[in-house]
Amino acid sequence: MSIGASIAIWFLFFVAVAFVSLSFGVRTDEEAGTAKVAGQADSAPHRFDVKRHAVRSAIIATALFTLYDLNWVYGWVGTESFDFYHRIFGNQG
């Protein structure tokens, strides 16, 4: 796998993890004990720390990409692992 492909795949992992983890660790103003701004939604976050979220996402994305890359090199899980038809029915044809 080329360096460019590796960077692109890591970035895809990063974006996916960042999107999925948006709601984890976020507190509302009510939970933080502060007053809400007029017109603010009840579910709006009190304070969103972009740097902390990006670092957390980068660490998780790096771990997932490492597993992906090791699987690419060693071939632990391949397309034949998902061939359920032949596992269930065998070669009857």
Side-chain angles (χ1 to χ4, degrees), residues 68-84:
Y68 171 81
D69 193 45
L70 289 172
N71 184 59
W72 177 269
V73 171
Y74 295 111
W76 297 323
V77 179
T79 55
E80 66 278 353
S81 301
F82 299 102
D83 188 8
F84 299 115

Side-chain angles (χ1 to χ4, degrees), residues 5-20:
S6 296
I7 292 170
I9 293 171
W10 179 87
F11 184 73
L12 289 173
F13 275 110
F14 175 77
V15 170
V17 169
F19 180 74
V20 168

Side-chain angles (χ1 to χ4, degrees), residues 53-76:
H53 182 72
V55 168
R56 182 186 309 160
S57 297
I59 291 169
I60 296 170
T62 301
L64 290 175
F65 176 76
T66 301
L67 287 173
Y68 171 81
D69 193 45
L70 289 172
N71 184 59
W72 177 269
V73 171
Y74 295 111
W76 297 323

